[in-house]
């Protein structure tokens, strides 16, 4: 049986080629993902490990002091933070070679072109701490010197190169809003993983950094290097004895391990997402494999019957088919693995070429990648081939040898149709039920979608007849070729269903994502229009808090008619922790359009307004009073003057800044709302930008910018998803090609007879192309219908948390998807149609 299986594989090389390609593409997707993520993860981890080369012990403020009486302290409360006195004490401890202290925070640097350098949230600042010999061992200077005064900085070499600056140049930068002009006095190298990943690092002198990021004399971290012969564990034990209750130590190895774990976790999301799409491509490939082996087995019905007649058991026949599948799967898995390694290397090169900073490192091919790729390719192929093999083994030998074992009829599909109807009904019920469950309905929606997809797949043979019959009037225009194409498309409903289902799955996902994306974009635009009267929203490009100084600069601008900060404030409300948003109560009505459900928009003194969810959560309503405990512990009784409908742009408890400011230690703003004399426009935006010093760290957005910003993010994600799902569509195209090619071989005698009675080569080509077109459009229509349904259902869940959400059907894109389905059919038929037209009619008529 083994020799027979190998002979069959070699005898049907061309017919198995498309199956090999389908599996190979799926495996290449899997292995490429694993190679790429392993390579990037390994490079980031090695880069991160270098950053801890000079750190054997790291000391940071403790989140929860334990009041350990064994902790050494000179005076109660002496070390509330990491101070110079602690630094001096640690430096004198036995086993310490050197001590370095640091403070850090956000620092945005502008390039020569005025644009932000780095990736925003990865733009960091710190201090240059001179140690032995006046050098900071963390940051070896490449050019220039260390910063000494507040107006000087040093930049990492990569940032300096990207910004186009050198020692002696002046750059504009910002740490929390107000623009700063700093002279670059030094350029240094660093193993900081953040910089390796594309971020930027600017260093101030220690005193300036403390003023910007902490307090004079205080540090955020102390790094200790052990003397030769002292282990990290020994040094940690020594240092722990002198640390105060408010500090804790960690070994360099623990830091490196934690960083490696953090990087791996960060990459896991990308890996999972890519593997999901690889799984979709493989799932689509299953239809091709099953179709291929079903057709191969049906063409060898007499051969298998003869094997049964001479003594082969059902199990041996099934095993023979599975051996063929194993060989095909193994070939596809190996070639897919090699292709995947190439894809992984190409992705890294592509990212580097697109401007993204990718850390250097070798290509990582882990043993698990090889094992997973081989297992996936072989197991998927064998699973898909098992059912055709089992079905072939069940054919009675005598019936098969006399060709009385006919193709399944519609009547024989009654059980299948019943099962499909039950699955579809359960799926529809679950999906519709999930829409009424709000955000809690995600799991039910996923289950329902899965059941419905299975149900529709099972029902596809039944659905193929009426849907393809609907194309009859159009096909009649093509004469006998159109009539034959329609009949061929429904001749074997199972095969047509499997071919169309592969395309259906890809289009279902693409259409559903497009519906959701278009609806979200419109909802955000409506939200911006409905919620804001302000001309501009000013915020940090990094999404970090703004300094209150920015709001003061804006308010002082003579062209600004109204402005309000959105100031963060932590507070306990009736004993429960929460947040308040400090606003300019006098101008709030000029800047926002809050949809009040009760009360009035009176924010001033001890009056506040809150969104419906905040009020409901605390059992409050318009006219209610409550006790708020501010950051400094002061309690105050406030009144709810009004309740409004919250949204993504405006929500929470709004209170006048005059009420909260006296109780805040370090006030910060989320954003500032601005209204100008001339309204929104490029001239007023430029004027506002100049008021803020052409700050690279600050973005000024009007309503259109907000909508376009969201739209660009949604479109970028959508295009990425299209690219990933394209693999599944390509596999589906291979399925159509494979089915048609094998169908042409199966119908050789019939095609020869058609040629003999007068149908010319053009007619044969047209027949095959129309058959392919009908099958592809059938799959496309099913995909569009399911995609719209799932998009609607998912939108209902989104609408429960986004009041402005409404269903938007992208008719234009859906039309393009349908045209692409037709194009798939036309392209997939090129080779099979040409092959059919070139058949020798006499040889074909004699073929069995």
């Amino acid at each position: 049986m083994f020799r027979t299986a190998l002979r069959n594989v070699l005898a049907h090389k061309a017919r198995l080629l498309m199956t090999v390609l389908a599996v190979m593409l799926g495996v290449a997707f899997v292995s490429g993902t694993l190679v790429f993520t392993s390579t990037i993860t390994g490079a980031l981890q090695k880069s991160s490990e270098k950053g801890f080369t000079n750190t054997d012990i790291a000391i940071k403020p403790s989140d929860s002091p334990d009041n350990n009486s064994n902790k050494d302290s000179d005076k109660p409360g002496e070390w509330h933070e990491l101070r110079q006195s602690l630094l001096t004490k640690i430096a004198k401890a036995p086993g310490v070679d050197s001590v370095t202290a640091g403070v850090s925070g956000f620092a945005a640097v502008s390039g020569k072109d005025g644009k932000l350098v780095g990736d925003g949230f990865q733009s960091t600042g710190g201090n240059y701490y001179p140690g032995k010999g006046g050098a900071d061992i963390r940051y070896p200077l490449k050019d220039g010197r260390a910063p000494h005064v507040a107006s000087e900085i040093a930049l990492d070499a990569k940032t300096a190169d990207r910004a186009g600056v050198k020692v002696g140049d002046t750059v504009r930068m910002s740490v929390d809003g107000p623009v700063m002009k700093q002279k670059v006095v030094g350029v240094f190298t660093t193993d900081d993983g953040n910089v390796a990943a594309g971020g930027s690092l600017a260093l101030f002198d220690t005193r300036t950094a403390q003023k910007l990021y902490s307090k004079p004399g205080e540090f955020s971290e102390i790094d200790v290097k052990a003397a030769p012969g002292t282990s990290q564990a020994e040094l940690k034990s020594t240092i722990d004895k002198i640390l105060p209750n408010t500090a804790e130590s960690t070994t360099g190895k623990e830091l490196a391990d934690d960083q490696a774990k953090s990087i791996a976790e960060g990459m896991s999301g990308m890996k999972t997402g890519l593997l999901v799409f690889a799984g979709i491509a493989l799932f689509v490939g299953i239809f091709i494999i099953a179709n291929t082996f079903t057709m191969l087995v049906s063409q060898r019905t007499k051969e298998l019957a003869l094997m049964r007649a001479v003594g082969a058991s059902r199990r041996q026949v099934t095993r023979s088919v599975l051996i063929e599948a194993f060989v095909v799967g193994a070939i596809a898995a190996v070639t897919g693995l090699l292709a995947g390694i190439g894809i992984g290397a190409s992705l890294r090169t592509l990212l580097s070429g697109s401007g993204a900073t990718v850390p250097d490192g070798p290509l990582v091919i882990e043993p698990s990648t090889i094992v997973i790729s081989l297992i996936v390719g072989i197991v998927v192929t064998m699973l898909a081939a098992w059912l055709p093999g089992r079905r072939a083994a069940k054919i009675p030998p005598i019936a098969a040898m006399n060709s009385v074992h006919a193709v399944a009829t519609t009547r024989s599909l009654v059980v299948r149709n019943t099962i499909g109807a039950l699955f579809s009904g359960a799926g529809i019920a679950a999906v519709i039920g999930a829409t009424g469950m709000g955000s809690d309905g995600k799991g039910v929606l996923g289950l329902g979608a899965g059941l419905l997809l299975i149900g529709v797949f099972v029902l596809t043979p039944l659905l193929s007849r009426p849907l393809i019959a609907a194309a009859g009037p159009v096909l009649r225009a093509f004469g006998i070729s159109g009539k034959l194409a329609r009949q061929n498309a429904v001749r074997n409903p199972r095969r047509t269903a499997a071919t169309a289902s592969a395309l259906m799955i890809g289009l279902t996902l693409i259409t559903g994502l497009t519906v959701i994306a278009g609806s979200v974009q419109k909802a955000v635009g409506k939200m911006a229009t409905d919620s804001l009267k302000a001309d501009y929203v000013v915020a940090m490009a990094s999404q970090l808090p703004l300094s209150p100084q920015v709001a003061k600069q804006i308010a002082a601008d003579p062209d600004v008619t109204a402005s309000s900060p959105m100031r963060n404030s932590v507070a306990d409300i009736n004993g429960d922790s929460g947040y308040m948003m400090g606003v300019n109560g006098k101008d709030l009505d000029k800047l926002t359009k809050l949809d009040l459900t009760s009360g009035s928009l009176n924010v001033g003194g001890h009056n506040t307004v809150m969104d419906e969810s905040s009020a409901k959560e605390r059992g409050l309503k318009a006219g209610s009073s409550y006790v708020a405990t501010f950051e400094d512990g002061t309690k105050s009784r406030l009144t709810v003057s009004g309740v409004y409908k919250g949204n993504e742009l405006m929500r929470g408890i709004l209170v006048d800044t005059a009420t909260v400011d006296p109780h805040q230690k370090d006030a910060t703003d989320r954003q500032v709302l601005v209204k100008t004399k001339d309204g929104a426009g490029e001239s007023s935006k430029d004027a506002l930008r100049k008021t803020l010093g052409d700050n690279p760290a600050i973005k000024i957005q009007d309503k259109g910018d907000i909508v376009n910003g969201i739209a660009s993010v949604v479109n970028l994600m959508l295009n990425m998803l299209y690219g990933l799902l394209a693999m599944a569509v390509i596999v589906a195209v291979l399925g159509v090609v494979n089915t048609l090619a094998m169908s042409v071989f199966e119908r050789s005698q019939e095609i020869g007879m058609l040629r003999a009675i007068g149908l010319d080569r053009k007619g044969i080509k047209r027949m095959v192309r129309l058959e392919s077109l009908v099958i592809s459009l059938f799959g496309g229509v099913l995909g569009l219908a399911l995609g719209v349904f799932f998009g609607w259902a998912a939108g209902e869940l989104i609408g429960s948390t986004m009041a402005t959400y409404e269903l938007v059907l992208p008719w234009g894109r859906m039309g393009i998807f349908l045209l692409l389905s037709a194009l798939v059919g036309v392209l997939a038929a090129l080779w099979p149609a040409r092959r059919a037209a070139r058949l020798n009619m006499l040889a074909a008529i004699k073929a069995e």
Side-chain angles (χ1 to χ4, degrees):
M1 297 303 293
F2 181 74
R3 287 196 300 271
T4 301
L6 289 180
R7 185 205 64 192
N8 287 327
V9 170
L10 295 173
H12 303 112
K13 293 188 293 291
R15 279 174 267 172
L16 288 169
L17 177 62
M18 293 299 172
T19 300
V20 171
L21 283 175
V23 180
M24 185 200 77
L25 286 174
V27 173
F29 207 153
V30 172
S31 59
T33 296
L34 295 175
V35 169
F36 173 69
T37 53
S38 296
T39 299
I40 297 300
T41 300
L44 287 172
Q45 287 175 347
K46 286 184 178 179
S47 176
S48 174
E49 287 172 5
K50 290 180 182 177
F52 298 113
T53 302
N54 296 308
T55 303
D56 290 307
I57 302 294
I59 301 165
K60 294 183 179 182
S62 175
D63 294 329
S64 53
D66 57 10
N67 297 318
N68 188 340
S69 59
N70 291 328
K71 295 282 186 178
D72 190 19
S73 63
D74 295 337
K75 295 178 183 178
E78 179 184 354
W79 292 316
H80 292 295
E81 300 290 345
L82 306 182
R83 297 179 183 272
Q84 185 65 42
S85 54
L86 176 60
L87 190 69
T88 303
K89 197 166 187 177
I90 292 172
K92 295 177 181 178
V96 173
D97 180 64
S98 63
V99 178
T100 306
V103 288
S104 61
F106 174 76
V109 179
S110 172
K112 283 286 185 68
D113 58 0
K115 295 180 180 179
L116 186 68
V117 179
D119 298 329
F121 67 94
Q122 293 179 326
S123 301
T124 55
N127 69 308
Y128 189 93
Y129 188 87
K132 294 178 180 178
D136 189 330
I137 58 175
R138 300 171 300 175
Y139 310 118
L141 285 168
K142 181 180 179 182
D143 190 18
R145 61 172 175 82
H148 297 318
V149 297
S151 60
E152 298 176 345
I153 62 166
L155 289 176
D156 72 86
K158 291 184 178 180
T159 298
D161 185 55
R162 289 200 300 268
V165 300
K166 59 184 183 299
V167 171
D169 289 343
T170 299
V171 297
R172 286 181 298 106
M173 63 180 301
S174 177
V175 297
D176 61 356
V179 72
M180 303 161 59
K181 292 184 179 179
Q182 303 290 120
K183 183 179 180 180
V184 179
V185 297
V187 174
F188 60 91
T189 59
T190 177
D191 292 321
D192 190 312
N194 191 44
V195 173
S200 63
L201 178 59
L203 299 180
F204 303 88
D205 66 280
T206 297
R207 183 176 296 180
T208 301
Q210 287 175 330
K211 182 179 178 182
L212 292 172
Y213 299 126
S214 59
K215 291 180 181 178
E218 293 182 357
F219 300 97
S220 56
E221 182 173 340
I222 297 174
D223 295 331
V224 185
K225 183 173 176 58
T230 304
S231 68
Q232 290 186 355
E234 291 171 343
L235 185 58
K236 184 178 188 303
S237 178
T238 300
I239 289 176
D240 282 346
K241 293 175 183 177
I242 61 175
L243 284 184
N245 295 341
T246 53
E248 58 186 7
S249 65
T250 309
T251 64
K253 185 179 184 306
E254 290 173 333
L255 287 174
D257 290 344
D258 289 344
Q259 186 76 5
K261 183 179 178 182
S262 176
I263 291 171
E265 289 175 352
M267 293 296 293
S268 67
M270 178 192 292
K271 182 190 291 187
T272 302
L274 291 173
L275 288 176
V276 165
F277 289 98
I280 293 170
L282 283 167
F283 182 66
V284 171
I286 286 174
F287 294 102
I288 299 176
I289 301 164
N291 243 2
T292 301
F293 278 93
T294 297
M295 295 172 76
L296 285 175
V297 166
S298 66
Q299 291 167 14
R300 302 206 314 264
T301 299
K302 288 186 178 181
E303 175 189 330
L304 294 174
L306 181 60
M307 291 172 63
R308 290 288 312 283
V310 297
S313 66
R314 286 185 178 183
R315 185 175 295 178
Q316 285 178 309
V317 170
T318 303
R319 193 183 301 150
S320 173
V321 175
L322 290 178
I323 290 171
E324 290 182 50
F326 175 83
V327 174
V328 171
I331 295 170
V334 172
T335 54
L337 173 62
L338 296 175
I341 293 171
I343 290 172
S346 301
L347 280 175
R348 187 173 66 169
T349 305
L350 184 64
L351 280 179
S352 299
S354 65
T357 304
V358 181
D360 296 329
L363 194 68
V364 178
I365 306 170
E366 296 181 353
S368 59
T369 300
I370 299 173
V371 173
I372 289 171
S373 299
L374 294 176
I375 289 176
V376 165
I378 293 170
V379 169
V380 165
T381 308
M382 292 183 70
L383 282 176
W386 175 76
L387 190 60
R390 183 172 177 272
R391 192 183 299 131
K394 293 175 69 175
I395 301 175
I398 300 302
M401 292 175 71
N402 287 285
S403 300
V404 299
H405 195 77
V407 176
T409 63
T410 303
R411 183 175 297 178
S412 70
L413 299 173
V414 170
V415 175
R416 175 180 177 137
N417 295 336
T418 303
I419 294 172
L422 290 174
F423 269 92
S424 298
I428 292 172
V431 170
I432 294 175
T435 60
M437 299 171 65
S439 58
D440 296 329
K442 295 176 184 176
V444 177
L445 177 61
L447 175 63
L451 290 173
L452 181 54
L453 271 175
I454 294 171
V456 171
F457 165 64
V458 175
L459 283 175
T460 306
L462 180 65
L463 296 173
S464 64
R465 290 183 179 277
L467 288 178
I468 292 176
V474 178
L475 292 175
R476 275 198 292 270
F478 295 94
I480 189 64
S481 295
K483 182 178 180 180
L484 290 171
R486 184 182 65 80
Q487 291 175 348
N488 289 334
V490 297
R491 178 185 295 183
N492 191 326
R494 290 179 187 270
R495 184 185 304 165
T496 298
T499 306
S501 294
L503 192 59
M504 176 192 77
I505 292 170
L507 281 182
T508 295
L509 295 170
I510 289 173
T511 304
L513 291 169
T514 304
V515 169
I516 295 169
S519 301
V520 168
Q521 284 181 219
K522 185 173 181 179
V524 172
K526 192 170 187 296
M527 189 186 301
T529 304
D530 292 352
S531 302
L532 294 176
K533 292 181 184 177
D535 296 322
Y536 300 106
V537 176
V538 177
M540 291 287 283
S542 61
Q543 305 302 320
L544 290 171
L546 274 167
S547 166
Q549 185 64 31
V550 174
K552 291 179 181 178
Q553 286 180 279
I554 291 172
D557 188 336
D559 291 328
V560 172
T561 58
S563 67
S564 173
M566 305 296 286
R567 188 157 295 165
N568 301 309
S569 178
V570 179
D572 282 351
I573 299 157
N574 281 345
D576 294 328
S577 61
Y579 293 90
M580 287 183 166
M581 188 67 67
V583 297
N584 181 356
K586 178 172 61 71
D587 287 347
L588 186 63
D589 189 43
K590 301 174 186 177
L591 299 164
T592 63
K593 291 190 288 187
L594 297 183
D595 187 3
L596 288 170
T597 57
S598 61
S600 63
L601 188 61
N602 180 10
V603 181
H606 289 78
N607 291 320
T608 64
V609 295
M610 58 178 64
D611 66 323
E612 288 179 316
S613 62
S614 298
K616 183 178 180 181
E617 182 183 339
R618 294 171 174 83
L620 300 173
K621 59 183 179 180
S624 300
S625 63
Y626 59 93
V627 176
T629 304
F630 296 111
E631 291 180 31
D632 62 355
T634 303
K635 294 184 178 182
S636 179
R637 182 165 289 278
L638 304 177
T639 301
V640 181
S641 62
V643 177
Y644 67 96
K645 291 182 179 179
N647 56 48
E648 297 300 313
L649 295 180
M650 295 291 296
R651 62 171 55 188
I653 303 172
L654 307 181
V655 59
D656 199 283
T657 51
T659 303
V660 297
D661 280 359
H663 308 291
Q664 289 190 289
K665 185 179 179 182
D666 296 306
T668 58
D669 296 335
R670 190 179 75 187
Q671 56 194 22
V672 181
L673 306 181
V674 185
K675 196 168 186 64
T676 61
K677 287 180 183 178
D678 300 328
E682 284 303 316
S683 59
S684 55
K685 183 185 284 189
D686 288 340
L688 188 57
R689 191 178 287 116
K690 288 179 180 177
T691 297
L692 297 173
D694 289 327
N695 197 324
I698 290 179
K699 60 181 179 182
I700 302 170
Q701 295 181 298
D702 58 24
K703 294 176 185 178
D705 293 331
I706 294 173
V707 174
N708 291 336
I710 298 294
S712 64
V713 172
V714 171
N715 285 331
L716 177 62
M717 293 180 64
L718 200 57
N719 290 335
M720 288 175 62
L721 293 173
Y722 284 166
L724 294 169
L725 287 171
M727 182 67 73
V729 175
I730 291 171
V731 173
V733 172
L734 292 176
V736 179
V737 175
N738 204 31
T739 298
L740 287 173
M742 298 189 75
S743 180
V744 166
F745 178 82
E746 193 177 67
R747 302 202 307 262
S748 295
Q749 191 176 56
E750 175 188 320
I751 291 170
M753 188 66 70
L754 289 171
R755 287 290 316 283
I757 61 176
L759 191 62
D760 60 12
R761 289 186 173 182
K762 285 185 178 180
I764 294 294
K765 285 184 178 180
R766 190 180 301 120
M767 177 187 73
V768 176
R769 288 170 183 166
L770 289 173
E771 179 184 351
S772 175
L773 183 65
V774 167
I775 292 173
S776 296
L777 285 175
F778 171 51
V781 169
L782 284 180
L784 288 175
L786 287 173
V788 169
F789 180 62
F790 292 146
W792 164 79
E796 290 295 303
L797 300 188
I798 296 172
S800 65
T801 56
M802 186 180 285
T804 55
Y805 186 92
E806 60 182 67
L807 181 67
V808 175
L809 294 181
W811 294 107
R813 289 200 178 190
M814 288 165 61
I816 291 173
F817 296 157
L818 201 58
L819 287 175
L820 287 175
S821 298
L823 182 62
V824 164
V826 172
L827 294 177
L830 289 177
W831 177 58
R834 185 169 177 271
R835 187 169 180 269
R838 296 182 66 182
L839 284 175
N840 183 294
M841 70 177 76
L842 295 178
I845 291 172
K846 291 190 293 182
E848 292 188 9

